[in-house]
Amino acid sequence: MAMKDYSDEFKADAVALYESTPGATYKDIAADLGINRATLREWVLRDRDRRGIAPTDARRGGTALARAGQPAASDDPDERIRQLEARVAELEASEQKLATERDILRKAAKYFGRRDELVSRFQFVHDHRDAYEVKRLCQVLEVNRSSYYKWLGGAEARADRRREDQVLAERIRRIHADSGGAYGSPRVTAELRGNGERVNHKRVARVMRTHGIVGIRLRRRVRTTVPDPAATLVPDLFQRDFNAPEPGRKYMGDITYLPLAGGEFLYLATVLDCFSRRVVGWSIADHMRTDLVADALRMAAATRGNLDGAVFHSDHGAQYGSQAFADLCSELGVTRSMGSVGSSADNAACESFHASLKRETLQGTRDYSDPATCRRTVFAWLTRYNTRRRHSANGQLSPNEYEQRQHTAKLTLAA
């Protein structure tokens, strides 16, 4: 149910939430965020290392020398010397470990920075296995060692596919040249099939893209009359029905203001699943451009894995009516739905959600003070809303638990 890959923004907000919460533990904060305790701890320690902070926990009243399990100082001078020598050895080993990790990360930055973005992290491990332990490389790059060895075992099959792709690329080049450079992948595929070769059009497109073989594209005609995107008719597929039979079918979204001191604002765009009211996507920014709602929808796609076949409902805000957002919905396989102009009741569930957010985070105050505090407060509420906050529409279950129970029930029926 949870995301597998967390964005840098999510990680930074999680660390900020932990560091700014007096008396909080990794377990408590991780439970609120719906992530693993060890994952949160790793993010925090990595951020402290980046900022040059020693691996202590003085904020919570402890020090590295007072960790659980650390032996008390002995009255025997020889024993104290032995303890200090052991501690020095431990610190030296830790320093060496950090130095190795930094060295690996520096090389990884150069490695991926100058090469194609599809270069595998497994390939980096393989290329540097003589300089570092495979175990350490996998830990730093956050890949599973068993997955690396499985990837390594498939090297021969990948080499065979590359050779086959190279042979296919030569045939494509000949066809492309015979067409005067005009054919793109659809016509090249048709030509190959006409020659009796069974080939998938997606493979042809991939090979052409990999080898830089591009057909001639006609320039689009210049349109002198461009319809206003806001005037494009989008039907209301919800008709004020904000329920869904299962997750992933119907989503709704909206934008709300987040007041700051001095009359300034941040803006929050959200995407909610109608089945459980789970917040599957959100974005916070200091603007209300289309990117704001687009980022929230992309996060929803990442959370769910895909949005193909889903319906997304919104109001008639300019951001949701823009051509860029319409194109993104088409790309993600999402059907758009809009309520009537000027009617908040047609998107009442989102309006209610945002009202609850402000009521429970502002708690009677007029603003969130500064942008950092605002982002941290709203981030904490959104994640806790999914993992812990009970919802009346779910029979007083949190959105995550409600979805999990539905998933378990389906498995039981299938069995």
Side-chain angles (χ1 to χ4, degrees):
M1 305 293 287
M3 288 186 292
K4 299 297 183 184
D5 296 318
Y6 298 91
S7 66
D8 291 339
E9 180 182 6
F10 186 97
K11 294 178 182 179
D13 287 338
V15 171
L17 177 63
Y18 172 82
E19 297 285 18
S20 63
T21 306
T25 64
Y26 289 120
K27 180 179 179 181
D28 291 339
I29 299 298
D32 286 347
L33 301 181
I35 62 177
N36 186 276
R37 172 190 174 280
T39 300
L40 176 62
R41 181 177 182 275
E42 180 182 356
W43 292 349
V44 171
L45 293 181
R46 187 175 299 171
D47 180 75
R48 290 180 180 177
D49 180 60
R50 178 183 61 80
R51 292 183 288 128
I53 298 177
T56 65
D57 205 9
R59 185 172 66 85
R60 284 156 171 75
T63 67
L65 290 175
R67 296 195 306 267
Q70 182 72 26
S74 173
D75 293 333
D76 183 357
D78 292 338
E79 178 61 20
R80 291 184 64 184
I81 292 174
R82 190 195 65 77
Q83 290 179 353
L84 290 173
E85 289 176 344
R87 181 58 181 156
V88 168
E90 179 185 345
L91 292 175
E92 288 177 346
S94 176
E95 183 180 358
Q96 180 60 39
K97 177 183 176 182
L98 291 175
T100 300
E101 291 181 354
R102 285 194 294 268
D103 193 32
I104 291 174
L105 290 173
R106 279 196 296 268
K107 291 185 177 181
K110 293 180 181 178
Y111 184 88
F112 291 104
R114 66 173 181 266
R115 302 182 65 175
D116 189 277
E117 62 181 2
L118 296 180
V119 172
S120 170
R121 284 181 286 180
F122 294 142
Q123 188 65 53
F124 177 86
V125 173
H126 187 66
D127 291 347
H128 295 80
R129 67 191 186 283
D130 294 332
Y132 306 98
E133 291 182 344
V134 170
K135 178 181 179 180
R136 177 66 64 210
L137 287 165
C138 290
Q139 287 175 341
V140 174
L141 294 181
E142 298 181 342
V143 297
N144 192 293
R145 247 194 309 171
S146 62
S147 299
Y148 162 71
Y149 286 117
K150 182 178 179 180
W151 172 87
L152 193 60
E156 185 175 349
R158 288 195 302 276
D160 290 341
R161 286 195 296 270
R162 284 195 295 270
R163 285 191 291 270
E164 292 171 359
D165 285 351
Q166 187 62 46
V167 173
L168 177 60
E170 292 304 318
R171 290 199 290 270
I172 291 174
R173 283 196 180 95
R174 287 195 293 269
I175 294 173
H176 185 258
D178 290 343
S179 72
Y183 279 7
S185 61
R187 287 190 172 89
V188 169
T189 303
E191 188 73 18
L192 288 167
R193 290 174 176 173
N195 293 336
E197 184 166 350
R198 298 179 61 182
V199 62
N200 184 279
H201 69 95
K202 293 182 179 179
R203 184 186 176 201
V204 172
R206 174 177 58 79
V207 172
M208 291 183 68
R209 184 167 57 250
T210 300
H211 291 82
I213 306 171
V214 182
I216 296 174
R217 296 185 179 181
L218 297 178
R219 295 178 60 188
R220 294 183 179 179
R221 291 187 303 161
V222 177
R223 300 177 63 188
T224 56
T225 302
V226 181
D228 183 357
T232 302
L233 180 62
V234 177
D236 183 354
L237 303 178
F238 272 34
Q239 296 297 320
R240 300 187 182 180
D241 178 10
F242 304 108
N243 300 305
E246 61 184 13
R249 291 280 193 89
K250 296 167 63 177
Y251 298 95
M252 50 189 170
D254 201 0
I255 301 174
T256 192
Y257 298 84
L258 302 175
L260 305 177
E264 298 181 345
F265 297 92
L266 289 181
Y267 306 94
L268 168 70
T270 52
V271 178
L272 280 72
D273 192 305
C274 291
F275 172 76
S276 62
R277 300 299 196 269
R278 180 183 177 187
V279 191
V280 293
W282 71 80
S283 180
I284 302 174
D286 58 358
H287 62 79
M288 285 200 302
R289 296 189 292 271
T290 301
D291 287 346
L292 178 69
V293 296
D295 288 345
L297 192 63
R298 290 191 184 98
M299 179 181 175
T303 301
R304 289 305 196 193
N306 69 79
L307 300 179
D308 192 30
V311 176
F312 177 78
H313 183 80
S314 68
D315 59 20
H316 275 269
Q319 301 83 358
Y320 295 111
S322 69
Q323 187 60 48
F325 188 76
D327 292 343
L328 175 61
C329 288
S330 297
E331 176 186 334
L332 297 176
V334 174
T335 300
R336 290 192 298 159
S337 169
M338 284 187 176
S340 57
V341 178
S343 174
S344 61
D346 287 350
N347 205 19
C350 271
E351 298 278 353
S352 176
F353 170 80
H354 287 155
S356 296
L357 183 153
K358 291 181 180 179
R359 181 175 62 252
E360 295 181 19
T361 55
L362 285 173
Q363 298 182 359
T365 60
R366 301 186 55 163
D367 58 66
Y368 294 95
S369 184
D370 57 278
T373 301
C374 175
R375 175 181 288 274
R376 187 168 58 246
T377 302
V378 173
F379 171 80
W381 190 89
L382 290 172
T383 51
R384 187 180 178 87
Y385 170 91
N386 282 338
T387 58
R388 293 194 177 188
R389 187 183 183 277
R390 299 181 183 276
H391 202 295
S392 59
N394 299 337
Q396 299 303 333
L397 298 176
S398 71
N400 282 7
E401 185 177 0
Y402 189 70
E403 290 190 3
Q404 184 59 47
R405 290 199 179 187
Q406 186 263 0
H407 179 68
T408 302
K410 287 182 64 175
L411 292 178
T412 302
L413 289 175

